[in-house]
Amino acid sequence: MQNFTFQNPTRILFGEGRIADIAAEIPAGARVLITYGGGSVVRTGTLDEVKAALKNFTVFEFAGIEPNPTYETLMEAVALARREKVDFLLAVGGGSVIDGTKFIAAAIPFAGDPWDMLAKRAAVTRAIAFGSVLTLPATGSEMNNGAVITRRASSDKLAFLNDLLFPRFSVLDPSKTFTLPPRQVANGVVDAFVHIAEQYLTYPADAKVQDRFAEGLLLTLIEEGPRALREPENYAVRANLMWTATLALNGLIGAGVPQDWATHMLGHELTVLHGLDHAQTLAVVLPAMLQVQRAEKRDKLLQYAERVWGLREGDAEARIDQAIVRTRLFFESLQVPTRLSDYGIGVEAIAPLVAQLKRHGMVALGEHRSVDLARAQQVYELAA
Ligand code: NZQ
Ligand code: ZN
């Protein structure tokens, strides 16, 4: 096992009815800015519930944080927050709203152009405190310190991490996910699945707990993902999915093990240039990435084949082939297509995608830094 430092300060309020408990988590007298997306939280009544819980606070609202939240939109919220001297943020929504709120939290006290936090890795030394009410299990943003922000004007989708960006608290009420459209349920399952893959399908580090934890999370997604689509109002299923997605990217399974993240980086360029949902990009890239990297990932792919897919027969190469096929079929069973052509993207799109990776310095990705531009191109070609 590799050395690691692990601390996760986010307090989780899990279960039905927990929105009522948020007032106790926010400093008395705080001026709170509620941030949300395109209106699902208005339609579902979640926003009203949040406002009722905050009746003793001064509350402002910022609506319209879009999927793949943009710098352009978020800077409007920063202006509002500065103007109103907001000192607490509450994100109500999915990963995009939470990520966007992390950006707002860091941008409010930032001197200079906050985009530098992403583009130039400018130091984040202060951030406004914030919490979240999660409505879409997928990204893990509710219990991690990362955010991914898009700048429309420059076709960039970049991530940043900072320990000041852990939410103070997150409400995980599974019943708030009953209203998710099937596409978003499926996206959430695929995103969580690939987060686990990025931290598990690398090379052995003799990290038994992390491995078995990762396998347990994958098996839960395989069992409960399809059930959530069939039985949208099954609370137990939603509860298991919600906690799985959080644990998939809250630092626990990634502590002390090598990590990959190449699939995510290739995926981000697909979202920027072609507008695919985040999870759709991952469903396209991961099977091709595993194929291209199969030699380096051999030992873990064999372990994955056996422990996750029950593949014990036949020679090793055939088991790896089967494990990759099963992964693809699982995504497709959730109605998430796994080929670029399924999204109307042809091979002529590959050179611009590779050029974006180059422009973003994504030239040595993966747990061995071996995914250079030539290999990335191979992955996109295999995904065609
Ligand atoms: O905007 P509204 O109207 O709220 O609708 C949203 C949105 O259209 C809808 N939705 C959310 N909860 C709902 C609901 N509709 C009905 N009922 C509900 N309960 O779902 C749509 C998608 O929401 P979004 O927040 O964009 O999805 P997701 O949670 O998948 O977040 C994706 C973003 O997270 C980033 C991605 O890159 C992408 O920008 N990621 C963040 C990570 C992190 N912070 O650690 C890691 C991930 O790898 C990922 O990159
Ligand atoms: Zn992801």
Side-chain angles (χ1 to χ4, degrees):
M1 199 182 302
Q2 300 175 349
N3 289 2
F4 64 87
T5 301
F6 177 69
Q7 181 177 22
N8 192 312
T10 302
R11 184 197 288 263
I12 297 296
L13 310 182
F14 192 98
E16 193 159 16
R18 299 306 307 276
I19 288 174
D21 299 331
I22 59 178
E25 306 296 329
I26 302 174
R31 294 168 66 81
V32 182
L33 176 63
I34 300 174
T35 53
Y36 59 96
S40 73
V41 299
V42 178
R43 290 190 294 278
T44 59
T46 302
L47 183 64
D48 282 342
E49 220 175 305
V50 167
K51 288 204 275 192
L54 296 183
K55 61 179 187 308
N56 294 326
F57 293 86
T58 306
V59 168
F60 304 88
E61 284 178 42
F62 183 84
I65 297 178
E66 59 279 78
N68 309 302
T70 67
Y71 166 81
E72 285 86 349
T73 299
L74 299 170
M75 287 307 287
E76 293 175 28
V78 171
L80 168 67
R82 285 176 176 162
R83 198 164 61 236
E84 300 294 351
K85 305 205 173 348
V86 159
D87 50 18
F88 200 94
L89 304 173
L90 182 62
V92 185
S96 293
V97 174
I98 302 175
D99 279 12
T101 302
K102 290 176 178 178
F103 177 84
I104 298 165
I108 291 169
F110 190 84
D113 182 351
W115 183 248
D116 290 349
M117 298 186 295
L118 291 115
K120 297 183 182 163
R121 309 239 149 252
V124 175
T125 54
R126 288 169 59 207
I128 303 294
F130 68 98
S132 87
V133 174
L134 181 67
T135 63
L136 197 179
T139 65
S141 188
E142 66 279 6
M143 200 179 179
N144 71 35
N145 64 351
V148 190
I149 308 298
T150 296
R151 186 169 187 167
R152 242 186 263 124
S154 50
S155 296
D156 294 321
K157 180 171 181 175
L158 301 175
F160 75 134
L161 294 173
N162 191 286
D163 280 351
L164 297 168
L165 299 180
F166 282 101
R168 293 291 167 99
F169 66 86
S170 287
V171 174
L172 276 58
D173 176 343
S175 69
K176 296 294 167 222
T177 68
F178 290 172
T179 55
L180 282 166
R183 168 167 151 191
Q184 299 302 342
V185 176
N187 279 352
V189 173
V190 171
D191 194 20
F193 194 102
V194 179
H195 293 160
I196 301 161
E198 301 273 29
Q199 301 165 87
Y200 167 72
L201 283 176
T202 57
Y203 56 87
D206 211 354
K208 297 200 168 190
V209 172
Q210 293 91 323
D211 278 5
R212 291 200 160 103
F213 209 154
E215 289 151 2
L217 296 172
L218 290 171
L219 288 166
T220 307
L221 292 172
I222 292 164
E223 273 173 33
E224 302 293 71
R227 279 185 77 191
L229 290 169
R230 284 197 307 270
E231 307 166 35
E233 305 215 350
N234 185 324
Y235 180 88
V237 169
R238 297 294 199 169
N240 280 301
L241 273 187
M242 204 167 204
W243 192 224
T244 299
T246 300
L247 290 170
L249 195 50
N250 73 345
L252 197 57
I253 65 168
V257 299
Q259 301 195 14
D260 181 339
W261 299 106
T263 293
H264 269 69
M265 296 308 123
L266 269 63
H268 288 171
E269 305 303 354
L270 275 167
T271 296
V272 170
L273 294 190
H274 299 280
L276 270 62
D277 294 348
H278 173 61
Q280 293 174 335
T281 73
L282 305 176
V284 167
V285 176
L286 183 72
M289 182 69 72
L290 295 179
Q291 190 62 32
V292 168
Q293 295 294 86
R294 63 186 287 157
E296 289 181 16
K297 294 182 182 294
R298 188 172 195 277
D299 293 341
K300 290 306 280 286
L301 279 168
L302 285 169
Q303 183 177 325
Y304 169 66
E306 177 175 340
R307 296 196 193 168
V308 176
W309 296 111
L311 300 164
R312 293 184 185 84
E313 311 290 317
D315 79 279
E317 295 309 315
R319 274 178 276 146
I320 292 175
D321 283 338
Q322 264 310 304
I324 297 173
V325 168
R326 294 284 189 99
T327 307
R328 180 188 298 284
L329 292 177
F330 177 61
F331 297 160
E332 289 178 352
S333 77
L334 300 167
Q335 311 303 322
V336 185
T338 63
R339 299 281 180 191
L340 286 174
S341 55
D342 296 326
Y343 300 90
I345 299 172
V347 287
E348 70 288 351
I350 293 175
L353 289 164
V354 174
Q356 282 277 100
L357 286 172
K358 184 173 180 195
R359 187 166 70 80
H360 289 140
M362 303 290 172
V363 295
L365 300 171
E367 64 274 19
H368 291 297
R369 306 280 154 250
S370 63
V371 182
D372 56 11
L373 293 177
R375 238 181 245 191
Q377 174 162 345
Q378 232 185 313
V379 172
Y380 285 131
E381 283 169 357
L382 203 59

Short mmCIF file of all heavy atoms in Angstrom, two decimals, residues 179-214:
data_model
loop_
_atom_site.label_atom_id
_atom_site.label_comp_id
_atom_site.label_asym_id
_atom_site.label_seq_id
_atom_site.Cartn_x
_atom_site.Cartn_y
_atom_site.Cartn_z
N THR A 179 -37.54 11.50 -8.77
CA THR A 179 -38.00 12.25 -9.95
C THR A 179 -36.98 12.30 -11.09
O THR A 179 -37.23 12.92 -12.12
CB THR A 179 -38.30 13.71 -9.55
OG1 THR A 179 -37.12 14.26 -8.92
CG2 THR A 179 -39.45 13.80 -8.56
N LEU A 180 -35.83 11.68 -10.90
CA LEU A 180 -34.80 11.75 -11.94
C LEU A 180 -35.28 11.10 -13.24
O LEU A 180 -35.83 10.00 -13.21
CB LEU A 180 -33.53 11.02 -11.49
CG LEU A 180 -32.64 11.77 -10.51
CD1 LEU A 180 -31.62 10.81 -9.89
CD2 LEU A 180 -31.93 12.92 -11.22
N PRO A 181 -35.04 11.75 -14.37
CA PRO A 181 -35.33 11.09 -15.65
C PRO A 181 -34.39 9.88 -15.80
O PRO A 181 -33.26 9.90 -15.30
CB PRO A 181 -35.00 12.15 -16.69
CG PRO A 181 -34.64 13.39 -15.97
CD PRO A 181 -34.47 13.09 -14.52
N PRO A 182 -34.86 8.82 -16.50
CA PRO A 182 -34.02 7.61 -16.68
C PRO A 182 -32.62 7.92 -17.18
O PRO A 182 -31.65 7.31 -16.72
CB PRO A 182 -34.81 6.79 -17.71
CG PRO A 182 -36.22 7.26 -17.57
CD PRO A 182 -36.18 8.70 -17.14
N ARG A 183 -32.50 8.88 -18.06
CA ARG A 183 -31.16 9.19 -18.59
C ARG A 183 -30.22 9.64 -17.48
O ARG A 183 -29.03 9.29 -17.49
CB ARG A 183 -31.32 10.29 -19.65
CG ARG A 183 -30.02 10.93 -20.08
CD ARG A 183 -30.24 11.73 -21.34
NE ARG A 183 -29.32 12.85 -21.45
CZ ARG A 183 -29.46 13.82 -22.35
NH1 ARG A 183 -30.48 13.81 -23.18
NH2 ARG A 183 -28.58 14.79 -22.42
N GLN A 184 -30.74 10.39 -16.52
CA GLN A 184 -29.87 10.86 -15.44
C GLN A 184 -29.59 9.77 -14.41
O GLN A 184 -28.51 9.74 -13.81
CB GLN A 184 -30.45 12.11 -14.76
CG GLN A 184 -30.63 13.30 -15.69
CD GLN A 184 -29.34 13.75 -16.37
OE1 GLN A 184 -28.24 13.41 -15.95
NE2 GLN A 184 -29.48 14.49 -17.46
N VAL A 185 -30.55 8.87 -14.22
CA VAL A 185 -30.29 7.71 -13.35
C VAL A 185 -29.14 6.91 -13.93
O VAL A 185 -28.17 6.55 -13.23
CB VAL A 185 -31.55 6.82 -13.22
CG1 VAL A 185 -31.24 5.58 -12.38
CG2 VAL A 185 -32.71 7.61 -12.62
N ALA A 186 -29.26 6.62 -15.22
CA ALA A 186 -28.23 5.82 -15.90
C ALA A 186 -26.89 6.55 -15.88
O ALA A 186 -25.84 5.96 -15.60
CB ALA A 186 -28.67 5.53 -17.33
N ASN A 187 -26.92 7.84 -16.15
CA ASN A 187 -25.68 8.62 -16.12
C ASN A 187 -25.00 8.49 -14.75
O ASN A 187 -23.78 8.34 -14.66
CB ASN A 187 -25.97 10.10 -16.36
CG ASN A 187 -26.13 10.44 -17.84
OD1 ASN A 187 -25.88 9.61 -18.71
ND2 ASN A 187 -26.57 11.66 -18.12
N GLY A 188 -25.80 8.56 -13.71
CA GLY A 188 -25.23 8.49 -12.37
C GLY A 188 -24.56 7.16 -12.10
O GLY A 188 -23.47 7.10 -11.50
N VAL A 189 -25.19 6.09 -12.55
CA VAL A 189 -24.62 4.76 -12.34
C VAL A 189 -23.30 4.63 -13.11
O VAL A 189 -22.30 4.15 -12.58
CB VAL A 189 -25.62 3.66 -12.77
CG1 VAL A 189 -24.98 2.28 -12.72
CG2 VAL A 189 -26.88 3.71 -11.89
N VAL A 190 -23.31 5.09 -14.35
CA VAL A 190 -22.10 4.99 -15.17
C VAL A 190 -20.98 5.86 -14.59
O VAL A 190 -19.82 5.42 -14.49
CB VAL A 190 -22.40 5.39 -16.64
CG1 VAL A 190 -21.11 5.50 -17.44
CG2 VAL A 190 -23.34 4.38 -17.28
N ASP A 191 -21.30 7.06 -14.17
CA ASP A 191 -20.26 7.95 -13.63
C ASP A 191 -19.63 7.33 -12.38
O ASP A 191 -18.40 7.24 -12.27
CB ASP A 191 -20.86 9.33 -13.31
CG ASP A 191 -19.80 10.40 -13.07
OD1 ASP A 191 -18.65 10.21 -13.50
OD2 ASP A 191 -20.13 11.42 -12.45
N ALA A 192 -20.47 6.85 -11.47
CA ALA A 192 -19.93 6.23 -10.25
C ALA A 192 -19.09 4.99 -10.60
O ALA A 192 -18.01 4.78 -10.03
CB ALA A 192 -21.06 5.86 -9.30
N PHE A 193 -19.58 4.20 -11.55
CA PHE A 193 -18.86 2.99 -11.98
C PHE A 193 -17.46 3.38 -12.47
O PHE A 193 -16.45 2.76 -12.09
CB PHE A 193 -19.65 2.31 -13.11
CG PHE A 193 -19.22 0.90 -13.41
CD1 PHE A 193 -19.96 -0.18 -12.93
CD2 PHE A 193 -18.10 0.63 -14.19
CE1 PHE A 193 -19.58 -1.49 -13.21
CE2 PHE A 193 -17.72 -0.67 -14.46
CZ PHE A 193 -18.45 -1.73 -13.97
N VAL A 194 -17.40 4.41 -13.28
CA VAL A 194 -16.10 4.79 -13.87
C VAL A 194 -15.21 5.46 -12.81
O VAL A 194 -13.99 5.30 -12.84
CB VAL A 194 -16.30 5.64 -15.13
CG1 VAL A 194 -14.95 6.06 -15.72
CG2 VAL A 194 -17.11 4.86 -16.17
N HIS A 195 -15.80 6.16 -11.85
CA HIS A 195 -14.95 6.68 -10.75
C HIS A 195 -14.25 5.53 -10.03
O HIS A 195 -13.07 5.62 -9.68
CB HIS A 195 -15.79 7.48 -9.75
CG HIS A 195 -16.33 8.75 -10.33
ND1 HIS A 195 -17.40 9.42 -9.81
CD2 HIS A 195 -15.92 9.45 -11.43
CE1 HIS A 195 -17.64 10.48 -10.56
NE2 HIS A 195 -16.76 10.52 -11.54
N ILE A 196 -14.99 4.45 -9.82
CA ILE A 196 -14.38 3.30 -9.14
C ILE A 196 -13.30 2.70 -10.04
O ILE A 196 -12.18 2.42 -9.58
CB ILE A 196 -15.46 2.26 -8.78
CG1 ILE A 196 -16.51 2.91 -7.85
CG2 ILE A 196 -14.83 1.04 -8.11
CD1 ILE A 196 -17.83 2.15 -7.78
N ALA A 197 -13.63 2.55 -11.32
CA ALA A 197 -12.64 1.98 -12.26
C ALA A 197 -11.35 2.80 -12.28
O ALA A 197 -10.25 2.24 -12.33
CB ALA A 197 -13.25 1.90 -13.67
N GLU A 198 -11.48 4.11 -12.23
CA GLU A 198 -10.28 4.97 -12.30
C GLU A 198 -9.35 4.76 -11.10
O GLU A 198 -8.16 5.07 -11.16
CB GLU A 198 -10.68 6.46 -12.33
CG GLU A 198 -11.58 6.87 -13.51
CD GLU A 198 -10.81 7.27 -14.77
OE1 GLU A 198 -9.70 6.76 -14.99
OE2 GLU A 198 -11.36 8.08 -15.54
N GLN A 199 -9.90 4.25 -10.01
CA GLN A 199 -9.10 4.09 -8.79
C GLN A 199 -8.77 2.62 -8.51
O GLN A 199 -8.00 2.32 -7.60
CB GLN A 199 -9.85 4.68 -7.58
CG GLN A 199 -10.16 6.16 -7.75
CD GLN A 199 -11.20 6.66 -6.75
OE1 GLN A 199 -10.85 7.06 -5.64
NE2 GLN A 199 -12.47 6.61 -7.11
N TYR A 200 -9.41 1.73 -9.26
CA TYR A 200 -9.29 0.28 -8.99
C TYR A 200 -8.60 -0.45 -10.14
O TYR A 200 -7.76 -1.33 -9.90
CB TYR A 200 -10.69 -0.27 -8.75
CG TYR A 200 -10.84 -1.77 -8.76
CD1 TYR A 200 -10.34 -2.56 -7.72
CD2 TYR A 200 -11.51 -2.40 -9.81
CE1 TYR A 200 -10.50 -3.93 -7.74
CE2 TYR A 200 -11.68 -3.78 -9.82
CZ TYR A 200 -11.17 -4.55 -8.79
OH TYR A 200 -11.33 -5.91 -8.81
N LEU A 201 -8.91 -0.08 -11.37
CA LEU A 201 -8.36 -0.80 -12.52
C LEU A 201 -7.03 -0.18 -12.95
O LEU A 201 -6.92 0.43 -14.01
CB LEU A 201 -9.36 -0.79 -13.67
CG LEU A 201 -10.52 -1.78 -13.50
CD1 LEU A 201 -11.54 -1.64 -14.63
CD2 LEU A 201 -9.99 -3.22 -13.46
N THR A 202 -6.03 -0.34 -12.08
CA THR A 202 -4.71 0.20 -12.37
C THR A 202 -3.69 -0.94 -12.27
O THR A 202 -3.66 -1.79 -13.14
CB THR A 202 -4.38 1.36 -11.41
OG1 THR A 202 -4.47 0.89 -10.07
CG2 THR A 202 -5.33 2.53 -11.62
N TYR A 203 -2.89 -0.95 -11.22
CA TYR A 203 -2.00 -2.10 -10.97
C TYR A 203 -2.06 -2.43 -9.49
O TYR A 203 -2.39 -1.56 -8.67
CB TYR A 203 -0.56 -1.82 -11.44
CG TYR A 203 0.09 -0.60 -10.85
CD1 TYR A 203 0.77 -0.65 -9.62
CD2 TYR A 203 0.04 0.63 -11.51
CE1 TYR A 203 1.37 0.48 -9.09
CE2 TYR A 203 0.63 1.77 -10.98
CZ TYR A 203 1.30 1.68 -9.76
OH TYR A 203 1.88 2.81 -9.23
N PRO A 204 -1.74 -3.67 -9.11
CA PRO A 204 -1.90 -4.08 -7.72
C PRO A 204 -0.99 -3.28 -6.79
O PRO A 204 0.17 -3.03 -7.11
CB PRO A 204 -1.49 -5.55 -7.72
CG PRO A 204 -1.57 -5.99 -9.13
CD PRO A 204 -1.27 -4.78 -9.97
N ALA A 205 -1.55 -2.86 -5.66
CA ALA A 205 -0.75 -2.13 -4.67
C ALA A 205 -0.89 -2.81 -3.31
O ALA A 205 -0.61 -2.21 -2.29
CB ALA A 205 -1.20 -0.68 -4.60
N ASP A 206 -1.34 -4.05 -3.33
CA ASP A 206 -1.53 -4.79 -2.09
C ASP A 206 -2.42 -4.02 -1.12
O ASP A 206 -2.11 -3.89 0.07
CB ASP A 206 -0.17 -5.10 -1.45
CG ASP A 206 -0.22 -6.43 -0.68
OD1 ASP A 206 -1.32 -7.01 -0.57
OD2 ASP A 206 0.83 -6.86 -0.20
N ALA A 207 -3.47 -3.47 -1.65
CA ALA A 207 -4.42 -2.67 -0.86
C ALA A 207 -5.74 -3.44 -0.81
O ALA A 207 -6.64 -3.20 -1.61
CB ALA A 207 -4.60 -1.30 -1.48
N LYS A 208 -5.79 -4.39 0.10
CA LYS A 208 -6.91 -5.34 0.05
C LYS A 208 -8.25 -4.71 0.37
O LYS A 208 -9.27 -5.05 -0.23
CB LYS A 208 -6.63 -6.49 1.03
CG LYS A 208 -5.40 -7.26 0.63
CD LYS A 208 -5.39 -8.62 1.25
CE LYS A 208 -4.30 -9.43 0.58
NZ LYS A 208 -4.36 -10.83 0.95
N VAL A 209 -8.25 -3.83 1.37
CA VAL A 209 -9.53 -3.22 1.73
C VAL A 209 -10.04 -2.33 0.61
O VAL A 209 -11.22 -2.37 0.24
CB VAL A 209 -9.39 -2.43 3.04
CG1 VAL A 209 -10.65 -1.64 3.34
CG2 VAL A 209 -9.10 -3.38 4.19
N GLN A 210 -9.13 -1.50 0.06
CA GLN A 210 -9.55 -0.62 -1.03
C GLN A 210 -10.10 -1.45 -2.20
O GLN A 210 -11.10 -1.08 -2.81
CB GLN A 210 -8.37 0.24 -1.51
CG GLN A 210 -7.89 1.27 -0.48
CD GLN A 210 -6.80 0.72 0.42
OE1 GLN A 210 -6.82 -0.46 0.80
NE2 GLN A 210 -5.87 1.56 0.80
N ASP A 211 -9.41 -2.55 -2.53
CA ASP A 211 -9.88 -3.39 -3.64
C ASP A 211 -11.25 -3.97 -3.36
O ASP A 211 -12.15 -3.93 -4.19
CB ASP A 211 -8.91 -4.55 -3.88
CG ASP A 211 -7.72 -4.13 -4.72
OD1 ASP A 211 -7.59 -2.94 -5.03
OD2 ASP A 211 -6.91 -5.02 -5.06
N ARG A 212 -11.41 -4.54 -2.16
CA ARG A 212 -12.68 -5.21 -1.89
C ARG A 212 -13.81 -4.21 -1.71
O ARG A 212 -14.96 -4.48 -2.06
CB ARG A 212 -12.54 -6.12 -0.67
CG ARG A 212 -11.65 -7.31 -0.98
CD ARG A 212 -11.86 -8.45 -0.01
NE ARG A 212 -11.37 -9.69 -0.60
CZ ARG A 212 -10.20 -10.27 -0.28
NH1 ARG A 212 -9.43 -9.73 0.63
NH2 ARG A 212 -9.84 -11.39 -0.88
N PHE A 213 -13.46 -3.03 -1.20
CA PHE A 213 -14.45 -1.97 -1.09
C PHE A 213 -14.89 -1.57 -2.51
O PHE A 213 -16.09 -1.47 -2.81
CB PHE A 213 -13.81 -0.78 -0.37
CG PHE A 213 -14.76 0.07 0.42
CD1 PHE A 213 -14.30 0.81 1.50
CD2 PHE A 213 -16.10 0.16 0.08
CE1 PHE A 213 -15.16 1.60 2.24
CE2 PHE A 213 -16.96 0.96 0.80
CZ PHE A 213 -16.49 1.69 1.88
N ALA A 214 -13.92 -1.38 -3.39
CA ALA A 214 -14.24 -0.99 -4.78
C ALA A 214 -15.11 -2.06 -5.45
O ALA A 214 -16.10 -1.76 -6.12
CB ALA A 214 -12.95 -0.78 -5.57
#
